[in-house]
Amino acid sequence: MNTYKDYIQEIEERKSQGLHPKPIDGAELLSEIIAQIKDLNNGYRADSLNFFIYNVVPGTTPAATVKANFLKEIVLGQSVVAEITSAFALELLSHMKGGTSIAVLLDLALGNDVAIVNDAAAVLKTQVFLYEADTDRLEAAFKSGNGIATAILESYAKAEFFTKLPEIAEEIKVITFIAGEGDISTDLLSPGNQAHSRSDRELHGKCLISPEAQAEIKALAEANPDKSVMLIAEKGTMGVGSSRMSGVNNVALWSGKQASPYVPFINIAPIVAGTNGISPIFLTTVDVTGGIGLDLKNWVKKLDENGNAVRNESGDPILEEVYSVATGTVLTINTKTKKLYNGDKELIDISKAFTPQKIEFIKAGGSYAIVFGKKLQTFASKTLGIDIVPVFAPSKEVSIEGQGLTAVEKIFNKNAVGSTPGKVLHAGSDVRVTVNIVGSQDTTGLMTSQELESMAATVISPIVDGAYQSGCHTASVWDNKSKANIPRLMKFMNDFGLITARDPKGVYHAMTDVIHKVLNDITVNEWAIIIGGDSHTRMSKGVAFGADSGTVALALATGEASMPIPESVKVTFKGDMKGYMDFRDVVHATQSQMLKTFGGENVFQGRIIEVHLGTLNADQAFTFTDWTAEMKAKASICISEDDTLIESLEIAKGRIQIMIDKGMDNKNQVLKGLIAIADKRIAEIKSGEKPALRPDANAKYYAEVVVDLDQIAEPMIADPDVNNADVSKRYTHDTIRPLSFYGGVKKVDLGFIGSCMVHKGDMKILAQMLKNIEEQKGKVEFLAPLVVAPPTYNIVDELKAEGDWDVLRKYSGFEFDDNVPKASARTEYENMLYLERPGCNLCMGNQEKASKGDTVMATSTRLFQGRVVEDTEGKKGESLLSSTPVVVLSTILGRTPTIEEYKTAVKGINLTKFAPSHKLLVK
């Protein structure tokens, strides 16, 4: 009874943290619990019954398998438990979602006991998470003349699992809670530094916003039991930044409703809102839980008599409040009129939150049930040989005669499934698409594995060309939490069919390569669709969407994703890039010039950025596409010249071959298959059979942005603007300032070069600059620490082969050692160069961190409050984002450099250059 006693001891430990017993997912513990239930005289029997009924993780967990089989024994009368009747056992099976529970229900429904057969069939008709093994059994039984199988299939064909669900309420009362002013990142809802606890939902829920906010939400909910608490981003967008299912889970835990009375801490139906709506990737996650996301528009630009925006002294538009949503305000959502009301007063149209598809998600308790339900209905109809009954809302199909296609429209049309044959689809169409590449990262990977278990998936879809599980978000510190979580995650994903950063068998060296870089390498077709469990899944080949852990699980299990075809914004370039500038400055200038052109409106938000880089290979172009997450774009597509694309594919092939040589390929030889896809694509381009992807000349865009390179006269810095009087303007990535703004006097406490925003060229720039500085000053002396985290081991190996790593090592005071990885996070930094392990490092904020109140100059993408650096009472932490040479020079000087100092330091350095393509990149 050691396992059960260990569990009881853990329960006592959790009590001291204010936590309930952890849900059970292990077979050994549950088997012991069942033995105690069977023993009528056992002193632990009552507690064991409670644990068995209310505290077991469903799906394909080992515990779920044990639970389902015991419930089968009860239904068949092989085991007798007075407290669990046959009917109750079937009810419990109905809440287990899939896996062994479906197999058990099929055993019972296709058995010989008439009473049991009918009851089990009735439950089975409500289930949607069936896989090939389940549907094959039904099909075989139907073909053999089994009447129950026929009845079940007929029910599925009518989609009764959906049609018999209750309709959504016409009126939903909400009470408001202002979660923050300005953009709210998912870091506020699920902090990166608490990533280790995400799979323990109750524990992780305690990191939502703050204990004070949690208490206020709880008080609002208890005082208003007939209302839902709606979390709001006042004067901002809700859920920007990371694509984090745990953020929505936390919101649902505090303000949603329990999905099943027999499954603890899995809540659904959260309601969230923002003055500027919901971030696209966050809204997808809300849909997964059957929640509601509202665009309030309760603050608008003040206009003068000519209709122009009135601006303040800083040049920013002045906002006026249209209506109040202050904490404690009671509002009514009407799902029929699709309007938001305060009492009888109509406030705003909210139709976008209640499209036919979204209403289905709400009714079904989440989008997964709809995805699987549609597949199940299609299967049943095909098996019965009948037409599909139109039950679900038809996919919106927008087709405009005579209008060409943008790049994303072309990719979606190529990969579409289930749409009208031969119909050309434009932006706004709802499309199911096949997914080619999938990525899972390590701090959300445990949740992805839980999602896969909950939807009863056991193997990757054969549709997927390749999938990768990274170890980059926990790369910095190999602590006890990592040692407990990461090997377990890697084994699960390796067994599932992914290429994994760590080999569960220990054959190849553990990799901590940044997920986006690996995905960029294994994407070997620019027509590909990529889904990745991180907002920076923004490839420079294909179109990639950052997604929550659940959407990643769905893509892995089904090989599909569903979404509307987004509108696109076309970005082109003119002029010449000055010799002392780096391409990172072009990236920042793009956002700055776009905002200036459109009067402060971010036309990128929620759309595809189709960037015509043309001459930059995939490594260098990734700097732009990666940043588009901070531009609030839904995704980005890089349009390349033929020769450039071939160069990028050859680089990718070389790096995939290195992965093969290390022994990372699996039994399905996925990596070998990717090289074959790359070879085929290269041959198509060279022969002229299928040139590089490009849009049609008559494609229609939401907007077009022309970036003038001549205007970029000095390095550009993204500033969090932490002291802006308007709180909503802080931490937005929209404040882009020239280097001269700082006058060469702003103190810099720490520099960071690394993570996904740098490529091999950046590491070479660092080495060249250090040599330059030594020649100019006679020595290299750091007045602030410089932390360097290369993106991948491949890049480190290439730098070693080319001699650059020896240069970096010469000037460093610390070099990572995989044989003795750090067991604790660094808390203090000396004024020297740190060569850290490849991975995310400071950018994640979950392991390494700058000292509180520091001013950090970084190549990172993250300037969220508290991410890289936290505040002190006397000083706000700042994470300023800039190019590699600016970061290097800032740490040498201990302050921001002047433009003259910068020009001297980069003289003769081979910076990342870019020249607009002179070829017409349209078809």
Side-chain angles (χ1 to χ4, degrees), residues 311-368:
R311 299 179 181 275
N312 59 20
E313 293 178 356
S314 302
D316 296 319
I318 294 174
L319 299 179
E320 291 183 312
E321 188 178 51
V322 181
Y323 60 93
S324 174
V325 291
T327 294
T329 303
V330 175
L331 303 173
T332 302
I333 295 170
N334 190 300
T335 62
K336 295 290 187 267
T337 64
K338 300 178 183 179
K339 302 286 177 67
L340 182 67
Y341 298 88
N342 187 333
D344 295 329
K345 183 181 179 183
E346 179 184 318
L347 300 178
I348 192 168
D349 181 274
I350 50 175
S351 298
K352 287 185 178 179
F354 294 98
T355 64
Q357 287 75 23
K358 288 183 182 292
I359 287 174
E360 288 176 347
F361 298 159
I362 297 167
K363 177 178 176 178
S367 57
Y368 294 169

Side-chain angles (χ1 to χ4, degrees), residues 551-591:
T551 302
V552 171
L554 199 63
L556 288 170
T558 67
E560 292 184 9
S562 299
M563 67 186 87
I565 302 178
E567 295 177 303
S568 293
V569 176
K570 183 179 182 180
V571 175
T572 56
F573 303 86
K574 68 177 183 179
D576 297 307
M577 189 174 166
K578 294 173 176 57
Y580 56 86
M581 302 301 292
D582 185 80
F583 180 63
R584 177 68 182 262
D585 301 310
V586 175
V587 175
H588 287 308
T590 297
Q591 186 150 346

